Amino acid sequence: MVYTPYDFNESVRHRTEYIEERLRDGSPVAGISYEGGVLLLTLRRTQRKIFEIYDRLMFAGLGNQSDLEIIRVGAIDFAHQEGYARSPDDVTIQRVVGFAISPGIKRAFGDVLNAPFVVRALFAEMGKTPEEDLFYTLNYDGEFVPLSWAAAVAGTPEAEEQMIRQLVPEDAEGAPDLQTALRRALRAWTVGRLWAMDAHLEEEGAESLSEERIESFLREQLQDLQVEAAILDRFTKRERKFRLLKEDEILPALP
Amino acid sequence: MGEYLSANRSGDFMALLQARGLWRKPEAVPLGQSQPAVQEAHGTTVIALKYREGVLNVGDRRATSANAIMYDRAEKILPLDDYTLIAIAGSYARAMEIVRYLQHSFKYYARTQLQEMSLEGKLAEVSRALAGNLSMALQGIGLFIPVVSAYDLERGEGRIFFYDGMGARFESVEFGAAGSGSERIRGVFDYILKTKGPFHEMTLEEALRECLLLLDIAADLDSATAGIEKVLPIARAVTAEGILDIPEEQLAQMKESLRR
């Protein structure tokens, strides 16, 4: 693989291929709004994956751990200096992702002399009501997409689409309760993971994802991986709205 | 790659602010210069008492500027995090800025380092903020004195710390107080201890009663302290379950019962 730094298109293509290939195996992250707050869910081996950024902001992602760490600390730094210099109300997901993080990632991606970020990240902001909750997905090239109600990042863009379908089913009305949200997020994670790992699924179509197949795949994954879920709690009186869910809170949602 | 975003790994919020040029260090002015013409608002009396479940903080609501009453709804008891309260007396402007700094500093540490700052670390951070404020305090402005109440989860008890203007920290066994009114009532604390027994054995109700009485006496003896009559004081406690806001109705009832 030889390319000159002068051939921009070529180098971007190579970098994209390299990153996409490495991201494909990553554990997806599902985000969903529920009545009492915002939920992020993923499955992991040992490393923690979901993090608090600011009072009403949290973050998770897949890809290179140290790249995620740089984004995490960068977002925390920006949020805190803004919150202190102005007010916590001025710290918004749109400013953190759009102005503080995305341009740096884009620069790293375009800089052929440097390694690019290998990440797909998901930011969540809790509003006063589920309607006001916001999600941003952020890609390795700096592109970001704002979303309401639910969002997902996974190994491939197609897998993300499939996850969204699970998170916001067609017959869904309003914001779910926490248990329903957990179930949907877990299912979305499973579908996203299957879709990214199994190249045949795209040809077979979503219909081939039977209940049994999803459930047995999840059981299989749960042997190596554990569920990590965190919420921003809309109604807590505590200073910290962020909380990792405990095992007994997650257990009822497992198969 | 880190240079594209950030590289502050220490969890030290002051270092971050300094690196970004956001920390306003008060300028030192040589002693002996004429007093600045700034009239600042001052908070007056705050009290911290141990009780069975933790520490109760009560503060009157008055802020004064020289001999004028500037505001009678000032909030002088503020949560620094879920297990720490700070009660402030003295320069209101400087105190508020430093409280805001401390709140961010504790959260910043917890979020970046993925662990809570230790109680010792938090107390040292308060000292550091006070010491950083010293040059202003020496000019005669911006001096404030905090009382920090914390619930020590490791020991399973409430603890009270008070400071001097330079940042020296002392731990109190039973109570802490700061502000102009507190000086007038120092002996009353000891009188209660000797006649009614230790505060840390009292129920919330009993401790609240003592606090309101103390504030009432402080208001009688100190012109800058508002007491409990016109506007109800602020009362917050810190317990194993976190911060507890004492509702106004409870304060109003207690105040009524003291009249009889």
Side-chain angles (χ1 to χ4, degrees):
Chain A
M1 192 169 88
V2 177
Y3 64 84
T4 63
Y6 308 102
D7 190 344
F8 186 72
N9 272 340
E10 191 70 359
S11 88
V12 165
R13 201 169 303 133
H14 283 309
R15 288 159 90 82
T16 306
E17 265 172 35
Y18 159 77
I19 300 169
E20 291 281 1
E21 200 181 296
R22 291 194 52 198
L23 285 175
R24 189 175 284 268
D25 291 341
S27 170
V29 182
I32 181 167
S33 269
Y34 68 98
E35 291 162 348
V38 185
L39 167 77
L40 290 186
L41 178 142
T42 186
L43 268 72
R44 59 157 159 113
R45 271 176 230 287
T46 48
Q47 279 264 25
R48 248 190 77 184
K49 290 192 49 151
I50 308 174
F51 303 101
E52 180 183 25
I53 297 293
Y54 200 64
D55 298 1
R56 291 169 172 276
L57 280 181
M58 62 177 165
F59 154 85
L62 65 141
N64 187 309
Q65 278 295 337
S66 60
D67 289 352
L68 285 166
E69 179 66 14
I70 291 168
I71 293 174
R72 181 181 82 83
V73 177
I76 291 178
D77 282 4
F78 177 80
H80 285 70
Q81 72 190 47
E82 282 298 300
Y84 172 66
R86 294 204 175 79
S87 133
D89 296 344
D90 295 303
V91 177
T92 58
I93 191 171
Q94 170 242 343
R95 296 187 69 218
V96 170
V97 178
F99 301 144
I101 304 297
S102 155
I105 293 183
K106 159 82 178 152
R107 273 204 301 283
F109 182 68
D111 178 357
V112 288
L113 299 175
N114 247 314
F117 284 86
V118 179
V119 287
R120 267 197 257 276
L122 176 51
F123 288 80
E125 178 182 88
M126 178 175 67
K128 290 193 181 71
T129 62
E131 285 79 12
E132 291 172 43
D133 292 341
L134 259 181
F135 298 93
Y136 269 58
T137 59
L138 173 68
N139 221 345
Y140 53 82
D141 55 2
E143 284 294 311
F144 55 88
V145 183
L147 293 149
S148 293
W149 296 106
V153 284
T156 66
E158 296 76 27
E160 289 174 5
E161 271 173 47
Q162 295 300 326
M163 286 177 73
I164 295 284
R165 281 188 206 166
Q166 301 296 330
L167 289 165
V168 193
E170 273 166 26
D171 55 356
E173 270 179 52
D177 60 18
L178 180 57
Q179 274 304 319
T180 311
L182 261 173
R183 278 199 186 88
R184 281 194 205 159
L186 202 58
R187 197 185 153 90
W189 181 89
T190 316
V191 169
R193 177 86 158 169
L194 254 169
W195 203 274
M197 286 173 75
D198 191 340
H200 299 297
L201 265 176
E202 231 162 290
E203 294 156 28
E204 293 167 23
E207 301 78 44
S208 67
L209 277 177
S210 65
E211 288 298 320
E212 288 142 48
R213 187 164 175 194
I214 294 175
E215 198 162 301
S216 73
F217 181 72
L218 178 57
R219 275 181 207 283
E220 204 178 285
Q221 294 285 308
L222 281 169
Q223 287 177 350
D224 302 333
L225 306 174
Q226 65 181 102
V227 179
E228 178 175 337
I231 56 165
L232 289 167
D233 190 335
R234 217 185 298 282
F235 302 118
T236 183
K237 289 205 169 133
R238 293 193 160 229
E239 286 288 300
R240 300 275 292 276
K241 322 273 180 218
F242 176 89
R243 181 165 75 80
L244 285 166
L245 291 186
K246 294 183 203 83
E247 220 179 306
D248 60 337
E249 289 172 288
I250 298 172
L251 216 56
L254 297 182
Chain B
M1 214 170 4
E3 67 267 25
Y4 289 109
L5 293 171
S6 170
N8 182 27
R9 301 271 132 195
S10 60
D12 183 348
F13 189 52
M14 199 177 281
L16 173 73
L17 292 178
Q18 281 167 346
R20 306 277 167 103
L22 285 167
W23 180 248
R24 276 188 286 143
K25 198 171 174 11
E27 276 172 44
V29 172
L31 287 177
Q33 277 201 349
S34 60
Q35 288 272 321
V38 178
Q39 287 235 331
E40 45 174 358
H42 274 260
T44 48
T45 309
V46 286
I47 296 167
L49 278 192
K50 283 193 190 175
Y51 73 105
R52 253 181 234 167
E53 279 111 71
V55 184
L56 175 65
N57 279 205
V58 174
D60 76 319
R61 312 279 309 255
R62 183 168 289 177
T64 60
S65 182
N67 66 356
I69 295 165
M70 197 157 177
Y71 190 43
D72 60 10
R73 270 157 223 280
E75 229 183 283
K76 306 178 208 168
I77 292 165
L78 300 147
L80 288 182
D81 61 21
D82 284 328
Y83 295 100
T84 322
L85 279 175
I86 189 164
I88 46 165
S91 170
Y92 205 64
R94 201 59 196 149
M96 281 306 152
E97 185 162 347
I98 287 180
V99 165
R100 223 153 44 85
Y101 166 78
L102 291 169
Q103 288 169 337
H104 271 87
S105 169
F106 295 175
K107 280 186 191 164
Y108 180 76
Y109 182 91
R111 285 167 182 155
T112 55
Q113 308 300 303
L114 302 174
Q115 64 180 49
E116 281 295 318
M117 194 189 283
S118 66
L119 178 56
E120 194 62 29
K122 289 176 190 169
L123 295 168
E125 191 76 1
V126 177
S127 281
R128 184 156 75 137
L130 282 170
N133 195 40
L134 191 60
S135 59
M136 268 183 96
L138 285 174
Q139 294 169 56
I141 54 167
L143 178 70
F144 78 97
I145 306 288
V147 177
V148 175
S149 308
Y151 194 85
D152 189 332
L153 288 165
E154 270 176 38
R155 291 210 213 165
E157 60 170 350
R159 296 173 71 185
I160 301 173
F161 303 89
F162 59 99
Y163 290 81
D164 72 4
M166 278 184 73
R169 181 223 312 168
F170 308 94
E171 179 163 9
S172 166
V173 182
E174 291 287 343
F175 63 88
S180 55
S182 73
E183 291 153 22
R184 305 282 190 277
I185 54 171
R186 272 194 72 161
V188 187
F189 287 101
D190 288 311
Y191 183 77
I192 297 171
L193 278 176
K194 286 185 176 164
T195 53
K196 293 191 175 173
F199 291 119
H200 73 262
E201 286 173 10
M202 290 183 184
T203 62
L204 178 60
E205 181 117 328
E206 286 164 339
L208 191 60
R209 170 181 292 269
E210 300 306 336
C211 272
L212 294 190
L213 271 172
L214 281 160
L215 212 50
D216 195 37
I217 297 169
D220 280 343
L221 301 176
D222 172 44
S223 59
T225 301
I228 58 176
E229 282 305 324
K230 188 179 164 200
V231 182
L232 283 170
I234 286 258
R236 286 200 163 112
V238 56
T239 70
E241 270 81 54
I243 306 278
L244 175 72
D245 285 330
I246 313 289
E248 273 199 15
E249 304 86 70
Q250 197 177 342
L251 287 167
Q253 270 176 15
M254 182 60 77
K255 189 184 93 176
E256 286 307 311
S257 77
L258 293 179
R259 284 226 177 97
R260 275 170 236 143

